[in-house]
Amino acid sequence: MRNVHFFRWLRSFRRTTTTPPALPKAQYDESKVPAYTLPDPLVMLDGKRVTDTNAWRRERRPEILRLFETNVYGRTMARRPKEMTWEVTSPATNATDGTVINKTVTIYFAGKKDGPKMDLHITVPANAKIPVPVFMLAGGFGRPNPEIYKRGYGTVSVRIDQVQADRANQYTNSIRAFFAPPGQIEPGPDEWGAVGAWAWAMSRAMDYLETDPAIDAGKVCLNGVSRYGKAVMWAGAQDERFAIVFSGEAGCAGQTIVRRQFGETVKSITGFAPYWFAGNFKNYADRVNDLPVDWHELIALMAPRPVYIATAEQDYWGDPRGSFLAARAAGPVYQLFGETGLGVDDWPPVETPVGDFIGYHNRKGTHGQNDYDWEQFLNFADRHFGFARSNARGSGAFATGQYRNLFVEADIYPRK
């Protein structure tokens, strides 16, 4: 049952620029953030300091991945199935306005049409003469601004809900159970949760994209917001084929420092959505400082690839400041590769994008994703892909600054 009290709060939240009085119960006072010490991303568990990129790649990066697997997201219990096939199930057709071409590809994980499968809805600019860079969209959040296609990008909407429903008690109906040993009816405490299944599905989508001549497989970006922001972060950390990861308001267990215990916490998230994670994660509900990782290290796992962290000014539950601090704390790993991460020490003013290889902005408004976010994402991708534009703002909504709200995820807080 959805939390009626929350929806009343959400309506009041959208009408005010100050902290509403009826926020979900949590700690929202910056002055009451407890003292904490972050794990050093460049220090191994045995105390050895990482001083070069070889040691990062061969030792520390795999170690941090294992810590996230064991304690947070769970071990991914399947790789690419050898039987996996795909086919175009809705041939490429021009949109009614002739600006884009759409097609649907279905992936059959067991090589059988009556087995587990997942659809990819692919849209590319109709006038493309060469393979195009694309944004892989996790979860789906409305129709993207047409400016994305005008600027030469495509989109790939991945039906990750077909491999794992976003509901409790769905293990036996998910891809996780399909690959589990016979008779297993629930995951082990260190095995993948829903976020892990969604991340796995995005890697299988990437398997297909590497074969599509219309797609530049070297320029595939991940994009997700809220719970799907968590999924793209975990997918990008595990699969280095993704060129850039764009995470929007992923909050606790996605992109913010959980040791701050501001807004959504490990205790709250493992209380209302434990199925997103490995069972072990709930062990840290009341002792978050014992967790051997924090989310600056997940951001650091993208290095040396670019990554972008987006927040919203009034998304208090998601702790915008904590996301900035996580991005900043990932900087030393980028420095190891000779790159600049954020390049700033202070939390920037609202709608002031910052960063080099780690991008960040805190836009006006509440939880969701809008055209302002997309404008920053496209500018960031342009810069890292080396696309020069005489007018980066283009036309339409991006030029006028009249940003549409493309996606607002309402049901994000604890449910009864």
Side-chain angles (χ1 to χ4, degrees):
M1 177 180 174
R2 292 186 174 183
N3 192 332
V4 175
H5 176 69
F6 162 68
F7 285 113
R8 290 173 181 166
W9 165 80
L10 184 64
R11 287 193 293 271
S12 68
F13 192 95
R14 291 171 178 166
R15 293 193 297 267
T16 181
T17 57
T18 60
T19 306
L23 282 166
K25 185 178 180 181
Q27 161 33 32
Y28 298 105
D29 186 340
E30 188 67 30
S31 70
K32 295 181 180 178
V33 171
Y36 60 86
T37 301
L38 289 177
D40 190 328
L42 294 179
V43 174
M44 301 283 295
L45 290 178
D46 64 3
K48 177 184 175 182
R49 176 160 287 278
V50 175
T51 59
D52 59 66
T53 57
N54 285 334
W56 169 260
R57 289 189 180 280
R58 296 175 183 175
E59 300 177 67
R60 182 57 170 157
R61 188 179 191 281
E63 183 176 68
I64 294 174
L65 271 173
R66 287 194 298 271
L67 291 172
F68 274 105
E69 286 177 340
T70 302
N71 299 286
V72 181
Y73 301 112
R75 292 180 297 121
T76 302
M77 304 304 291
R79 300 301 172 186
R80 174 176 172 168
K82 64 180 185 298
E83 307 89 355
M84 189 175 80
T85 60
W86 49 68
E87 67 172 338
V88 177
T89 49
S90 177
T93 57
N94 283 320
T96 54
D97 62 1
T99 60
V100 297
I101 296 174
N102 301 304
K103 70 177 178 182
T104 299
V105 172
T106 301
I107 298 176
Y108 304 105
F109 298 118
K112 303 175 182 179
K113 292 186 177 182
D114 60 351
K117 58 190 175 183
M118 178 179 72
D119 293 329
L120 311 179
H121 301 298
I122 301 172
T123 302
V124 298
N127 61 354
K129 306 299 183 185
I130 59 174
V132 301
V134 297
F135 284 85
M136 184 183 293
L137 310 178
F141 23 87
R143 181 177 181 270
N145 191 298
E147 196 73 16
I148 295 169
Y149 309 114
K150 291 179 184 179
R151 287 175 60 163
Y153 292 85
T155 58
V156 180
S157 182
V158 185
R159 288 290 309 278
I160 57 177
D161 61 299
Q162 293 174 321
V163 304
Q164 170 68 59
D166 186 15
R167 298 191 303 276
N169 304 315
Q170 292 296 306
Y171 176 77
T172 56
N173 299 320
S174 73
I175 199 70
R176 296 181 291 156
F178 182 81
F179 288 113
Q184 181 169 324
I185 60 173
E186 62 181 23
D190 67 342
E191 293 181 359
W192 51 346
V195 169
W198 296 331
W200 177 89
M202 285 179 267
S203 286
R204 304 292 70 80
M206 185 66 185
D207 294 338
Y208 165 75
L209 293 181
E210 288 184 313
T211 72
D212 192 322
I215 305 299
D216 185 341
K219 295 183 175 66
V220 177
C221 306
L222 283 173
N223 178 278
V225 62
S226 192
R227 65 195 71 182
Y228 304 120
K230 306 179 202 300
V232 301
M233 289 293 287
W234 185 226
Q238 296 178 95
D239 193 337
E240 295 185 274
R241 293 177 297 173
F242 294 113
I244 307 177
V245 178
F246 293 89
S247 173
E249 299 158 40
C252 179
Q255 65 184 41
T256 196
I257 299 296
V258 299
R259 281 167 167 78
R260 282 169 49 81
Q261 301 181 62
F262 186 104
E264 185 177 35
T265 64
V266 173
K267 185 171 186 174
S268 61
I269 201 170
T270 57
F272 77 86
Y275 62 93
W276 287 350
F277 307 103
N280 284 341
F281 193 32
K282 67 178 180 295
N283 295 334
Y284 299 95
D286 293 310
R287 51 186 189 95
V288 67
N289 288 305
D290 291 336
L291 187 65
V293 291
D294 215 313
W295 268 257
H296 64 302
E297 293 175 298
L298 189 67
I299 296 172
L301 290 177
M302 311 305 165
R305 295 166 295 153
V307 58
Y308 199 105
I309 305 300
T311 63
E313 181 183 20
Q314 295 180 345
D315 183 22
Y316 304 106
W317 181 252
D319 188 13
R321 181 179 177 85
S323 294
F324 168 79
L325 295 174
R328 190 180 71 180
V333 178
Y334 281 83
Q335 292 171 10
L336 197 68
F337 284 91
E339 306 294 355
T340 300
L342 275 180
V344 299
D345 291 328
D346 297 328
W347 193 22
V350 173
E351 297 194 349
T352 305
V354 296
D356 190 352
F357 272 71
I358 303 175
Y360 173 83
H361 73 251
N362 186 34
R363 62 164 172 80
K364 298 174 183 176
T366 60
H367 191 80
Q369 191 169 85
N370 68 11
D371 285 331
Y372 178 86
D373 297 306
W374 273 105
E375 182 179 5
Q376 313 319 312
F377 297 164
L378 289 168
N379 290 344
F380 189 79
D382 279 356
R383 177 160 58 85
H384 285 283
F385 290 153
F387 299 156
R389 302 184 190 278
S390 58
N391 178 13
R393 291 185 68 84
S395 59
F398 287 5
T400 64
Q402 299 301 308
Y403 301 115
R404 298 173 304 140
N405 200 24
L406 295 172
F407 171 74
V408 175
E409 184 181 49
D411 192 14
I412 59 170
Y413 297 134
R415 287 163 280 186
K416 291 182 179 179

